[in-house]
Amino acid sequence: MLYIDMSKDEDNFKDPVIPEALSVYLQKAPQFKGQELLYFYHPMGPVVILGHYQDVYHEVNFPYLREHNIGLVRRNPGGGAVFVDPGDLTFVYINTAQKVKTPKFAHYIQPILAALHEVGIDAKQTGRNDLTYQGKKFSGMAFAQIKDRVLYGGTLMFDVDTATANAVLTPSKSKLADKGIKSVRSRVTNLKPFIKQDGFTRDDLQKLILKHVRVLNPDIQTRRLSTAEWADIKKLARKKLGTHQWIYGSGLTDYYVDAYFHDVGSFGLGFDVRDNHLADVKIHGDLITMDQATADQLEKQLTGQPVIRSDLQESLTSAGLDTLLAPEASAEIADKIVEAVTNHDH
């Protein structure tokens, strides 16, 4: 394992796009090919991070975001939107594997759980990709694969402003209802209040996790990124991950429907209707196992489909949604599409 030390590179993280470019760069950079990597970082200011497929217009309270000068970025991995600020600690692993159908989150969080247990927090992995304590979430993990390089990462809420998180994030009501909660704030918790050691900081947590990583990886080595490598990361941020097209997508559509599937995630569909046929179809949601090829194929398959329930369900079924999401998912989404168009026409 190679630990990439970011402790002296904090100035680079003043741009909230840099962390997203950093992860993609490290997955692709040939000098790291075949190596298992680990690094930590923390935001330098408040930021909303969207999942790869999420519709920004249905996830974010834009007036609040702008009024409070909160950054907005989109990561390459899937999953849901999160709010982070300097009270957050993010961990990222990158390793080599062939096509991963079921992300192995449990393997990569062992040192984190061990570190938290050492300070008296009996944390657990729950659901598909959450870490919780006393029934409340303090970490959401993400997964992404680029060729044979896989990324596992997650945020750790050490001392994050949960009031701001609740105000700026607007998850779907179906997702909140499934979890039996009324707001983001009622579902999440910080770690700091539960740590009994006086003066224990976010940096102390990072050091403790790294100590447990070293136990599992006694041959771990450390290095920093060079000036040239940081220049390449910043170039990637400017050319793709910091662009309006990447963060905001192609814009609002006339229609948007979504459904939440327990322990799988939200699936959203944006579309327009022309001559009673679907147009400008865009796949959204916080799915972590859907890849871009699958999303592109489904968008292509649905574009031009007549707004006829049986035809829509057949297309959704043939795309594998009943397997990817849940049995009868195709029927539920087809119903919602027809209902949305019918209600709009009336």
Side-chain angles (χ1 to χ4, degrees):
M1 176 180 280
L2 180 63
Y3 169 58
I4 302 180
D5 181 6
M6 305 283 179
S7 61
K8 296 182 180 179
D9 297 307
E10 288 190 344
D11 281 351
N12 291 316
F13 292 96
K14 289 179 180 178
D15 179 350
V17 178
I18 290 298
E20 310 317 314
L22 172 63
S23 63
V24 173
Y25 174 81
L26 290 176
Q27 279 185 277
K28 291 183 173 182
Q31 67 269 34
F32 298 113
K33 185 173 178 59
Q35 297 185 73
E36 183 178 9
L37 309 178
L38 167 66
Y39 65 92
F40 300 88
Y41 73 88
H42 62 86
M44 299 300 287
V47 185
V48 168
I49 307 173
L50 296 162
H52 185 114
Y53 299 102
Q54 289 190 295
D55 182 346
V56 60
Y57 301 102
H58 290 85
E59 298 289 339
V60 177
N61 178 343
F62 276 102
Y64 188 92
L65 181 102
R66 289 164 179 153
E67 181 183 352
H68 292 82
N69 296 314
I70 298 170
L72 179 66
V73 299
R74 184 184 297 275
R75 62 178 178 266
N76 190 51
V82 295
F83 170 81
V84 295
D85 63 17
D88 165 80
L89 175 66
T90 296
F91 64 93
V92 180
Y93 290 94
I94 297 174
N95 209 343
T96 301
Q98 297 306 313
K99 181 65 176 176
V100 177
K101 293 184 178 180
T102 304
K104 300 176 181 179
F105 291 116
H107 173 74
Y108 292 97
I109 62 171
Q110 290 178 24
I112 295 163
L113 295 180
L116 293 174
H117 290 169
E118 186 172 329
V119 292
I121 296 177
D122 185 21
K124 295 178 172 58
Q125 180 185 351
T126 57
R128 57 182 180 143
N129 63 328
D130 291 344
L131 295 180
T132 60
Y133 179 59
Q134 295 182 351
K136 290 192 173 186
K137 174 180 174 179
F138 63 84
S139 176
M141 292 176 285
F143 165 82
Q145 182 151 11
I146 300 176
K147 295 184 178 180
D148 67 344
R149 295 292 277 168
V150 294
L151 176 149
Y152 291 87
T155 54
L156 294 170
M157 293 177 59
F158 183 78
D159 191 20
V160 172
D161 184 345
T162 57
T164 297
N166 186 59
V168 76
L169 298 177
T170 56
S172 69
K173 293 180 180 178
S174 60
K175 181 174 182 177
L176 295 177
D178 177 83
K179 298 180 180 296
I181 57 177
K182 295 181 179 180
S183 68
V184 174
R185 192 176 186 181
S186 64
R187 186 191 173 204
V188 301
T189 189
N190 280 307
L191 294 169
K192 185 177 179 179
F194 301 103
I195 297 175
K196 305 305 180 185
Q197 297 181 21
D198 290 340
F200 193 90
T201 66
R202 179 204 61 219
D203 292 341
D204 291 330
L205 177 59
Q206 177 178 322
K207 291 174 185 176
L208 189 57
I209 294 170
L210 190 55
K211 183 188 85 170
H212 285 275
V213 169
R214 294 184 188 281
V215 171
L216 297 173
N217 302 274
D219 61 342
I220 190 171
Q221 297 181 349
T222 301
R223 95 159 172 89
R224 293 183 58 206
L225 296 179
S226 68
T227 301
E229 287 169 332
W230 276 115
D232 288 340
I233 293 163
K234 292 172 183 177
K235 183 177 179 180
L236 176 60
R238 288 194 304 271
K239 286 197 167 183
K240 180 181 179 180
L241 295 164
T243 64
H244 186 280
Q245 176 66 26
W246 172 258
I247 296 171
Y248 288 88
S250 55
L252 281 167
T253 51
D254 288 341
Y255 300 87
Y256 182 84
V257 299
D258 70 347
Y260 183 80
F261 300 95
H262 185 68
D263 281 345
V264 176
S266 297
F267 178 86
L269 202 66
F271 59 94
D272 294 322
V273 176
R274 300 193 188 105
D275 297 326
N276 205 43
H277 289 70
L278 300 189
D280 303 325
V281 177
K282 295 295 179 185
I283 302 301
H284 299 291
D286 61 7
L287 304 172
I288 58 175
T289 54
M290 178 178 282
D291 57 31
Q292 191 63 55
T294 302
D296 290 345
Q297 180 59 35
L298 182 54
E299 289 175 355
K300 183 178 179 181
Q301 197 165 328
L302 288 174
T303 297
Q305 284 288 334
V307 185
I308 299 173
R309 188 195 177 285
S310 57
D311 289 8
L312 292 169
Q313 183 176 346
E314 183 178 346
S315 289
L316 293 163
T317 301
S318 65
L321 258 64
D322 292 342
T323 301
L324 180 67
L325 302 175
E328 304 299 324
S330 296
E332 181 177 346
I333 295 165
D335 283 341
K336 291 193 173 193
I337 294 172
V338 173
E339 181 183 359
V341 175
T342 302
N343 289 343
H344 184 273
D345 290 345
H346 290 167

